[in-house]
């Protein structure tokens, strides 16, 4: 898959800077791979960036995060304002940063194939689209249509993508390159809708009234344990009424805080890296035996706990659970005095697993955690029972609420 590595981000910025004065008619963005346009960020490198940021003094972390991650959004902004028409020919998936790059083009052509889809799944791993995705998508298709894509990871294909306004044209496989070049040669000047003189941002009152009921629903669903969906709503509410250049900086400010959260780190480790390993091993029929042992022990421990209402407040799916906070504040709720009982119940679930997990490598423990999260609904914001057991309540990077 094509991904946005640090090297690719630097190259895109260099290209965008060159383009402003280049003697070219336009730019066609395409993939050299048949299966994907671009799958988004290199999440392994993102993990290294997290470690780099969290190793710095607390006072320096925000600036480090902003400077490191704004490079991609800044490069895309330079690309779309370089004064040259940009077209994207999308055959295969365009997810995350790949979808953001496509939206930074002035014209998008999508192959009409079920395998070709556009989406912004960052919320599913505890993050938000930080290269302008929370700003371009609502401006292209409207806030209400954008919310399922941003919050739930919905992907748009074919007619749905075209009818929503996310792409301009559908075509058969193999036709996207020629149609993209044809459009470029017929459109010497292209400007994004939000850069036109007649563009008017929505009023802050209008945006807030749209966001308020969604925020209430998200809070009821997540109980405040998952900061990413609330951060995405903040990006829209505070960014949509602004000029685009201000809006993407607001988005990055929110992202720079979010990336420091343990929840994002845990969800990337468990729901992406471990999931990828799990599915690969399962397909090959070589899933290690300890995975099933840990899963069975966790299931038995959960049954022993019973239907304790504390499970719901800790993040297990349980009808009628009450949100434990109205904002996803820094740190885990279970580290607070109010969450002490929930932490004790989680420790009861995790305790029987420790003997099985003794001697496992970090990658193996991560694999077992994914099995427990996917099998019994263990809250993914915690990473899994083994990840939680390895963490002290006052681990680096957290600030317990008092």
């Amino acid at each position: 898959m094509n991904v946005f590595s640090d090297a690719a981000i630097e190259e895109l910025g260099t290209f965008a800077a060159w383009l402003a004065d280049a003697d070219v008619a336009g730019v066609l963005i395409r993939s050299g791979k048949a299966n994907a346009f671009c799958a988004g960020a290199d999440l392994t490198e993102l993990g290294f960036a997290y470690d780099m940021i969290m190793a710095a003094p607390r006072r320096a972390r925000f600036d480090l995060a902003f400077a490191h991650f704004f490079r991609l959004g800044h490069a895309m902004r330079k690309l779309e304002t370089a004064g040259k028409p940009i077209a994207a020919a999308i055959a295969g998936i365009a997810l995350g940063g790949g979808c953001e790059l496509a939206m930074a083009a002035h014209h998008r052509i999508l192959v009409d194939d079920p395998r070709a889809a556009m989406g912004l799944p960052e919320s599913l791993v505890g993050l938000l689209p930080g290269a302008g995705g929370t700003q371009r998508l609502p401006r292209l298709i409207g806030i209400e249509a954008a919310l399922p894509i941003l919050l739930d990871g919905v992907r748009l294909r074919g007619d749905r993508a075209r009818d929503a306004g996310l792409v301009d044209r559908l075509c058969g496989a193999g036709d996207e390159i020629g149609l993209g070049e044809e459009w470029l040669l017929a459109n010497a000047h292209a400007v994004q809708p939000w850069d036109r003189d007649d563009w008017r941002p929505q009023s802050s009152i209008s945006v807030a009234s749209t966001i308020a009921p969604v925020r209430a629903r998200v809070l009821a669903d997540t109980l405040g344990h998952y900061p990413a969906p609330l951060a995405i709503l903040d990006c829209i509410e505070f960014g949509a009424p602004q000029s685009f250049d201000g809006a993407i900086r607001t988005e990055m400010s929110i992202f720079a805080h979010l990336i420091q959260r343990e929840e994002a780190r845990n969800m990337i480790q468990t729901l992406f890296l471990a999931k990828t390993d799990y599915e690969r091993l399962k397909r090959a029929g070589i899933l290690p035996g300890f995975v099933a042992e840990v899963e069975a022990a966790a299931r038995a421990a959960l049954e022993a706990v019973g239907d304790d209402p504390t499970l719901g407040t800790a993040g297990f799916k349980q009808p009628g659970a009450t949100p434990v906070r109205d904002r996803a504040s820094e740190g885990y709720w279970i580290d607070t005095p109010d969450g002490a009982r929930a932490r004790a119940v989680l420790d009861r679930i995790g305790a029987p697993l420790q003997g099985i997990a003794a001697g496992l490598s970090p990658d193996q423990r991560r694999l077992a955690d994914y099995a427990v999260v996917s099998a019994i609904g263990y809250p993914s914001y915690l990473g899994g029972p083994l990840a939680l057991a390895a963490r002290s309540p006052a681990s680096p990077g957290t600030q317990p609420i008092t």
Side-chain angles (χ1 to χ4, degrees):
M1 292 288 184
N2 295 322
V3 294
F4 273 116
S5 62
D6 282 341
I9 292 169
E10 290 296 327
E11 290 173 359
L12 182 63
T14 300
F15 177 81
W18 166 84
L19 182 61
D21 297 317
D23 184 20
V24 297
V27 175
L28 177 67
I29 307 173
R30 57 168 294 188
S31 171
K33 299 179 185 294
N35 62 342
F37 180 76
C38 178
D42 183 325
L43 292 181
T44 300
E45 286 192 2
L46 190 145
F48 295 150
Y50 172 90
D51 292 339
M52 176 268 294
I53 291 163
M54 299 310 294
R58 180 180 290 274
R59 65 181 180 277
R61 291 174 188 167
F62 175 84
D63 287 344
L64 271 175
F66 193 105
H68 182 82
F69 289 106
F70 191 57
R71 295 173 302 148
L72 180 56
H74 191 231
M76 291 185 189
R77 184 63 178 148
K78 289 195 295 183
L79 187 69
E80 71 182 357
T81 58
K84 305 295 193 302
I86 312 291
I90 307 160
I93 59 170
L95 301 177
C99 184
E100 291 178 291
L101 178 61
M103 290 192 292
H106 304 106
H107 188 75
R108 288 165 295 282
I109 302 165
L110 177 66
V111 171
D112 192 6
D113 185 298
R115 293 168 295 182
M118 300 181 68
L120 297 168
E122 285 86 347
S123 66
L124 304 182
V125 290
L127 292 173
L128 62 85
T134 68
Q135 304 307 311
R136 287 188 180 88
L137 186 64
R139 284 165 170 80
L140 281 171
I141 70 174
I143 292 176
E144 292 184 356
L147 288 173
I149 300 170
L150 288 164
L151 297 176
D152 305 322
V154 170
R155 301 182 184 185
L156 296 188
R157 300 171 173 82
D159 291 339
R160 287 189 66 195
R162 181 191 57 195
D163 295 346
L166 185 54
V167 299
D168 301 285
R169 184 166 182 174
L170 300 179
C171 70
D175 294 335
E176 68 277 7
I177 304 302
L179 291 172
E181 292 174 345
E182 181 181 301
W183 181 87
L184 288 170
L185 295 174
N187 292 271
H189 303 286
V191 178
Q192 296 284 32
W194 44 87
D195 289 325
R196 294 174 186 157
D197 292 339
D198 60 353
W199 176 264
R200 295 293 179 269
Q202 294 190 52
S203 74
S204 57
I205 295 174
S206 171
V207 175
S209 66
T210 301
I211 294 297
V214 182
R215 191 183 297 279
R217 175 180 63 78
V218 167
L219 187 60
D221 289 344
T222 67
L223 308 183
H225 292 310
Y226 294 82
L230 296 172
I232 288 169
L233 294 177
D234 285 344
C235 287
I236 299 171
E237 183 169 356
F238 302 133
Q242 296 188 53
S243 69
F244 195 81
D245 289 303
I248 58 173
R249 285 163 173 81
T250 294
E251 175 190 80
M252 183 46 57
S253 294
I254 294 169
F255 183 95
H257 286 294
L258 182 65
I259 192 63
Q260 299 179 50
R261 299 290 300 250
E262 285 184 90
E263 295 91 342
R265 172 71 168 179
N266 289 339
M267 293 173 73
I268 291 170
Q269 291 284 327
T270 303
L271 297 182
F272 178 76
L273 299 175
K275 180 182 179 181
T276 301
D277 290 343
Y278 183 96
E279 292 177 345
R280 173 177 53 82
L281 293 170
K282 187 175 182 179
R283 281 195 303 269
I286 54 173
L287 199 61
F290 69 79
V291 174
E293 290 183 59
V294 171
E295 180 185 324
R299 192 183 300 278
L302 179 61
E303 291 173 355
V305 168
D307 54 0
D308 188 321
T310 307
L311 290 171
T313 56
F316 280 86
K317 289 297 181 184
Q318 195 176 66
T322 302
V324 296
R325 60 179 72 173
D326 61 0
R327 300 291 293 171
S329 305
E330 188 175 358
Y332 290 163
W333 173 77
I334 59 172
D335 289 340
T336 71
D338 289 341
R341 183 180 170 197
R343 175 65 192 250
V345 173
L346 290 171
D347 287 344
R348 284 177 59 193
I349 296 172
L353 318 183
Q354 301 310 310
I356 305 171
L360 295 182
S361 70
D363 285 351
Q364 290 172 326
R365 294 172 69 89
R366 188 172 66 191
L367 197 66
D369 271 335
Y370 171 71
V372 174
V373 168
S374 60
I376 72 169
Y378 193 96
S380 61
Y381 76 92
L382 296 170
L386 301 181
L388 179 62
R391 171 195 178 277
S392 68
S395 62
T398 66
Q399 179 63 48
I401 305 166
T402 58

